[in-house]
Amino acid sequence: MSQRTERRGIHVDQSDLLCKKGCGYYGNAAWQGLCSKCWREEYQRVRQKQIQDDWALAEKLQREEEAAYASSHGAQAQSHSQTAVPQLHPGHASLGAFSKFEEKKTNEKTRKVTTVKKFFSPSSRTPPKKDTQEGRTPSPSISRHASFETDQVSKEFVEFLKNLQKPGREIHKQCRAFIMNMSSKKELSADELSECVQDFYQNMADRLMSHFKGSSESVERVMDQVEKYIMTRLYKSVFCPESTDDERKDLATQKRIRALHWVTIQMLCVSMDEEIPEVSEDVVKAITDIIEMDSKRVPRDKLGCITRCSKHIFSAIRITRNEPASADDFLPALIYIVLKANPPRLQSNIQYITRFCNPSRLMTGEDGYYFTNLCCAVAFIEKLDAQSLNLSPEEFQRYMSGQASPRLHSSEGDWPQSGVTAANPVLAQLNHNLERLSLVSSRQQMLMEAAQSMQADLLSWPEGVQREVSGVLEKYPLQILPRTVSAMDANNADSDGPPPLLTAQVFAG
Amino acid sequence: MAAAGGTGTKTYSFKVVLLGEGCVGKTSLVLRYCENKFNDKHITTLQASFLTKKLNITGKRVNLAIWDTAGQERFHALGPIYYRDSNGAILVYDITDEDSFQKVKNWVKELRKMLGNEICLCIVGNKIDLDKDRHVSVEEAESYAESVGAKHYHTSAKLNKGIEELFLDLCKRMMETAQAEERLKGNGASQSASSRRGVQIVDDEPQATPAGGCCSSG
Ligand SMILES: Nc1nc2c(ncn2[C@@H]2O[C@H](COP(=O)(O)OP(=O)(O)O)[C@@H](O)[C@H]2O)c(=O)[nH]1
Ligand SMILES: [Mg+2]
Ligand SMILES: [Zn+2]
């Protein structure tokens, strides 16, 4: 059998995926077939103006925002005007609980790196590129839409803080100052950026904790909003920053997943039966959710996508096995979904969440559990070998090189399992399709025959009717009997018998 | 994550991982603890991989998050991703299965190496209702636990034996650990800095030492 026909799925030529400029990196449809570097170069000039416009807009909005805030808090702002003079430096905040903000920051200058980050970014500690011209240019993907979204988030944030009264103003000020501060630190490495944001979260949470007298629910509620506001604004500059090799890792993972296209649901021992319509629906939804993660800007929203994906997986397992899914069921299923989805910029997204998510969500919460499983899935995919799929090294090698494809056992397609197990899924599908085609063709023939006989019947029917009618006419020619009008009238008036015409007919029949 | 500080009532949030070979009864133990059900087809929860329980221990609120882990051998290498930042680990074996006890020993070694003494270890011999088929002696298991600074428990998810005690005891120990840590770090402000991201924190040289920082955490 020809090796060429054994490839499953849509065949994409490697060259179609490469950057149109021929630099050797992968291109992306969203960047008009260029890689991110070439795209940046290509559009830098054009975008420069728009970036300036955006900044102008952002500043304008900022002024409006603060004006809006001030007017909505006229009373409080006044009562504070003696102490809280407009400040340029965040360190001189006036509200008691927040006053040690900057001081605390300096106390924590010693770098502390969590094991989390160590695990996922061993190489992100490389010092930032110093040669980057005029610092980090905002990603070209910024658009009017993004600006609009940012504006919306800012407005919502202000609205939310209004409910908090006094501290709301202070929180707003701290966040503003922090964002300004961050935009001036273009030369920081990804880890340092992460440290800054995490320090900010920590300090903010501490202040809020004493303000809310230890009610962690209230703190979390505010922290979610703080994260949303800050990260919406910082996203452009801190997602997949140039100082890291996130992009390279993304491409490597994407390529790896593509190379593993032959892995079947059976090899992973996944307890999801895709032949059940509800299950296959859940699988599709799970894939959609995990792909959607890349489109979100707030870490928590990205986490939300992972959580929704996981819930669909649980539902699929529950339907298949009729019992709640344990980790033994969940992890393989998630791996399968990731392999099927090949989510865009998977590594960048994981790094971004690890670096910039509010830690309390990530560490103990349910979202954190699913995120951890996603990290496990990615780690598994990276390291996956013959043993992890219960294959012999030779088999694994043949599948990886595309020389052979695993046999299809079941449930990989939407047709019922037939007795014949073809050597590979394409042939199986071909056989199956041929079978179906011949079935359809014979049924079509029957249909044609039936139609033709019906047509013949239809054609002969009027003839038959005509023949009968003329036969009858011949047998019983119409006779018009002579009669007088006056006699009929007289009969009608006086007798009980039938009228003469009917009488005549009766005689005639 | 150990303690959410503040002046009012503290809420402790603890992460506990379940480790052990497949089929020793990890899932059964949590479902018994959180849903009070065993081998029940009518369990309402969609999943049994992440379950939570709220407790009140001597006036302190505790949020317990129980993380199930994939027990298949091929996922063994992923252990560190699961158990990082855990306050406690429940290592389950089946008393009728000698091998599963050996697996627990391996986990203990690995956990101690990776997380040190900050993690509270529980070694759990499950299925004591099958005592007639016991293949791991009580003395051996208990003396081993003691030798590695772990506590040993006997449970039966089937008969609901020893499970409440196991989790309650573990929570108390995790609270003690957290409180000791708080005292060590002093009170208030500086405490939060260390419990930041509630994780095991590795001190690094500022930025002087470049790259290569991917070495294991001592
Ligand atoms: N007799 C007995 N069987 C148990 C007990 N706990 C679990 N099992 C059974 O052991 C098998 C595996 O349990 P499970 O919770 O899925 O183990 P896991 O793979 O470690 O999560 C199931 O058939 C359970 O019914 C127990 O305490 N006693
Ligand atoms: Mg289980
Ligand atoms: Zn290019």
Side-chain angles (χ1 to χ4, degrees):
Chain A
M1 82 195 71
S2 158
Q3 309 288 17
R4 201 128 311 184
T5 56
E6 289 183 359
R7 283 192 163 266
R8 204 145 48 92
I10 310 155
H11 179 66
V12 183
D13 197 289
Q14 196 76 347
S15 66
D16 294 342
L17 302 168
L18 293 174
C19 171
K20 294 268 184 289
K21 281 225 155 173
C23 67
Y25 273 96
Y26 281 101
N28 186 324
W31 297 323
Q32 300 183 2
L34 300 173
C35 72
S36 67
K37 267 218 155 59
C38 293
W39 166 258
R40 270 183 195 131
E41 280 163 21
E42 186 85 355
Y43 286 86
Q44 195 152 44
R45 263 179 317 103
V46 189
R47 290 285 165 147
Q48 205 60 49
K49 195 188 165 329
Q50 199 191 334
I51 290 161
Q52 277 163 11
D53 290 353
D54 281 350
W55 271 109
L57 188 81
E59 272 163 24
K60 180 169 158 271
L61 191 98
Q62 162 63 15
R63 283 193 297 275
E64 284 172 7
E65 206 177 286
E66 275 171 357
Y69 203 89
S71 69
S72 73
H73 277 252
Q76 277 129 10
Q78 263 182 355
S79 67
H80 278 275
S81 57
Q82 288 95 354
T83 48
V85 200
Q87 293 139 355
L88 292 171
H89 198 275
H92 304 120
S94 61
L95 270 167
F98 287 91
S99 60
K100 288 192 183 132
F101 218 82
E102 194 72 353
E103 208 173 295
K104 260 195 66 66
K105 267 198 73 94
T106 48
N107 288 341
E108 291 174 18
K109 274 288 144 58
T110 359
R111 288 276 155 256
K112 286 171 178 177
V113 175
T114 63
T115 47
V116 189
K117 283 197 312 191
K118 287 220 158 181
F119 196 90
F120 289 104
S121 51
S123 50
S124 66
R125 309 202 104 258
T126 44
K129 282 181 209 152
K130 290 280 182 260
D131 56 337
T132 326
Q133 8 70 295
E134 77 249 353
R136 184 174 294 114
T137 38
S139 142
S141 59
I142 52 159
S143 60
R144 287 288 162 205
H145 178 255
S147 302
F148 176 74
E149 201 183 309
T150 310
D151 294 355
Q152 274 308 110
V153 169
S154 297
K155 285 193 182 108
E156 282 165 25
F157 188 53
V158 170
E159 280 304 309
F160 172 80
L161 291 178
K162 276 179 191 168
N163 303 322
L164 291 181
Q165 318 255 321
K166 279 190 210 167
R169 186 178 171 75
E170 194 51 44
I171 293 168
H172 186 251
K173 193 172 293 181
Q174 296 292 354
C175 291
R176 285 297 318 161
F178 177 69
I179 290 166
M180 296 298 270
N181 201 10
M182 286 294 278
S183 57
S184 70
K185 289 178 177 169
K186 291 193 197 300
E187 74 293 347
L188 291 188
S189 73
D191 274 355
E192 289 167 325
L193 289 170
S194 167
E195 285 299 312
C196 290
V197 172
Q198 295 295 342
D199 281 344
F200 182 77
Y201 285 154
Q202 181 68 53
N203 289 322
M204 185 63 86
D206 286 351
R207 297 297 172 277
L208 290 170
M209 190 54 88
S210 51
H211 174 76
F212 288 113
K213 311 252 183 315
S215 156
S216 37
E217 288 81 23
S218 310
V219 175
E220 283 307 299
R221 212 161 34 85
V222 179
M223 287 307 292
D224 284 343
Q225 297 298 322
V226 167
E227 177 191 306
K228 187 175 176 187
Y229 177 69
I230 287 182
M231 292 319 298
T232 305
R233 298 203 153 216
L234 294 179
Y235 178 77
K236 284 184 282 189
S237 50
V238 303
F239 184 88
C240 188
E242 279 180 20
S243 63
T244 65
D245 58 355
D246 292 359
E247 188 184 348
R248 190 189 54 72
K249 283 191 197 153
D250 282 338
L251 294 173
T253 301
Q254 208 172 68
K255 208 170 150 189
R256 171 79 174 158
I257 292 177
R258 222 180 283 137
L260 290 170
H261 67 88
W262 49 269
V263 175
T264 64
I265 201 163
Q266 291 80 23
M267 291 176 184
L268 291 166
C269 306
V270 178
S271 29
M272 295 191 299
D273 182 357
E274 288 184 278
E275 275 175 34
I276 303 170
E278 291 89 350
V279 172
S280 95
E281 234 169 76
D282 274 323
V283 166
V284 170
K285 284 179 189 157
I287 291 171
T288 313
D289 285 329
I290 198 70
I291 288 174
E292 202 184 318
M293 170 174 67
D294 187 52
S295 67
K296 306 286 182 199
R297 294 206 279 173
V298 183
R300 193 162 158 256
D301 292 347
K302 288 183 186 287
L303 276 186
C305 293
I306 302 170
T307 298
R308 278 196 300 282
C309 166
S310 304
K311 298 257 152 108
H312 285 304
I313 292 174
F314 288 138
S315 159
I317 294 171
R318 172 103 222 194
I319 295 167
T320 306
R321 308 238 337 232
N322 195 26
E323 60 183 35
S326 70
D328 290 344
D329 309 311
F330 175 55
L331 182 62
L334 182 63
I335 292 168
Y336 175 69
I337 294 294
V338 170
L339 284 177
K340 270 207 145 183
N342 201 351
R345 302 196 288 184
L346 190 51
Q347 298 278 2
S348 286
N349 279 293
I350 286 177
Q351 295 288 359
Y352 177 76
I353 293 170
T354 307
R355 288 171 190 147
F356 302 113
C357 191
N358 176 10
S360 59
R361 292 267 171 225
L362 215 48
M363 287 306 144
T364 41
E366 189 174 6
D367 290 341
Y369 180 76
Y370 304 135
F371 177 70
T372 300
N373 273 278
L374 179 64
C375 295
C376 285
V378 173
F380 181 81
I381 289 168
E382 280 174 350
K383 306 249 162 67
L384 183 154
D385 59 11
Q387 212 185 351
S388 25
L389 297 176
N390 284 328
L391 298 171
S392 73
E394 296 76 35
E395 274 177 301
F396 185 81
Q397 209 40 54
R398 260 181 290 134
Y399 298 152
M400 277 310 264
S401 62
Q403 283 175 347
S405 279
R407 24 174 89 226
L408 178 87
H409 292 287
S410 65
S411 76
E412 179 61 359
D414 53 356
W415 63 88
Q417 172 113 50
S418 68
V420 197
T421 329
N424 77 66
V426 177
L427 282 185
Q429 181 156 26
L430 203 68
N431 280 342
H432 174 76
N433 287 349
L434 281 174
E435 247 167 60
R436 285 208 139 179
L437 270 178
S438 64
L439 193 76
V440 168
S441 129
S442 70
R443 285 175 68 179
Q444 194 181 19
Q445 205 170 340
M446 275 162 62
L447 187 70
M448 281 306 284
E449 275 163 20
Q452 266 161 2
S453 89
M454 189 171 163
Q455 190 176 23
D457 284 355
L458 273 173
L459 285 173
S460 60
W461 184 70
E463 266 170 41
V465 172
Q466 186 116 39
R467 231 180 298 122
E468 250 175 75
V469 168
S470 49
V472 168
L473 282 177
E474 247 167 59
K475 240 185 185 172
Y476 311 105
L478 182 67
Q479 293 175 345
I480 296 160
L481 300 173
R483 55 175 168 83
T484 54
V485 174
S486 56
M488 193 172 77
D489 284 347
N491 279 349
N492 269 352
D494 298 319
S495 84
D496 295 356
L501 216 99
L502 285 180
T503 319
Q505 272 180 348
V506 168
F507 285 134
Chain B
M1 116 201 66
T7 47
T9 45
K10 275 192 179 117
T11 302
Y12 290 90
S13 291
F14 293 128
K15 168 182 164 182
V16 171
V17 277
L18 282 171
L19 297 166
E21 206 182 359
C23 288
V24 295
K26 299 183 295 296
T27 306
S28 302
L29 280 174
V30 262
L31 281 176
R32 174 60 91 182
Y33 182 57
C34 298
E35 302 257 315
N36 196 18
K37 286 188 177 136
F38 179 76
N39 270 1
D40 193 326
K41 284 288 167 203
H42 305 289
I43 288 172
T44 48
T45 177
L46 186 61
Q47 48 91 12
S49 52
F50 175 89
L51 291 172
T52 56
K53 183 105 173 173
K54 284 188 195 315
L55 294 96
N56 205 316
I57 300 172
T58 59
K60 303 256 164 51
R61 278 180 297 170
V62 175
N63 289 339
L64 191 61
I66 306 166
W67 291 36
D68 190 14
T69 64
Q72 297 95 316
E73 192 51 42
R74 59 197 167 135
F75 297 131
H76 184 93
L78 305 172
I81 312 180
Y82 275 123
Y83 60 64
R84 68 186 179 204
D85 317 322
S86 296
N87 303 88
I90 297 177
L91 306 148
V92 190
Y93 68 94
D94 175 347
I95 60 157
T96 69
D97 179 359
E98 174 101 56
D99 275 359
S100 68
F101 185 61
Q102 193 53 47
K103 289 264 158 57
V104 163
K105 289 181 174 178
N106 296 342
W107 277 118
V108 170
K109 276 193 211 111
E110 189 176 327
L111 285 167
R112 284 288 184 233
K113 196 175 110 201
M114 304 296 284
L115 302 183
N117 286 318
E118 282 186 20
I119 186 163
C120 295
L121 297 186
C122 301
I123 297 177
V124 176
N126 188 39
K127 308 197 187 179
I128 51 164
D129 53 293
L130 303 176
D131 200 62
K132 56 181 185 342
D133 296 323
R134 177 183 277 281
H135 278 96
V136 181
S137 84
V138 179
E139 302 76 50
E140 188 198 344
E142 286 182 343
S143 70
Y144 171 74
E146 207 185 325
S147 73
V148 293
K151 277 219 163 193
H152 191 278
Y153 304 84
H154 277 115
T155 60
S156 166
K158 188 176 178 180
L159 305 179
N160 195 9
K161 279 211 172 129
I163 298 172
E164 285 287 337
E165 295 88 320
L166 157 69
F167 282 98
L168 188 65
D169 208 38
L170 172 60
C171 283
K172 285 181 181 163
R173 284 164 60 207
M174 292 189 296
M175 280 168 75
E176 279 165 23
T177 308
Q179 283 160 359
E181 213 170 290
E182 279 166 44
R183 278 195 299 275
L184 205 71
K185 306 276 155 60
N187 54 349
S190 56
Q191 168 249 317
S192 51
S194 59
S195 72
R196 195 180 79 196
R197 269 168 285 180
V199 294
Q200 189 225 353
I201 284 165
V202 182
D203 279 318
D204 253 355
E205 296 307 321
Q207 280 301 292
T209 40
C214 50
C215 54
S216 69
S217 53

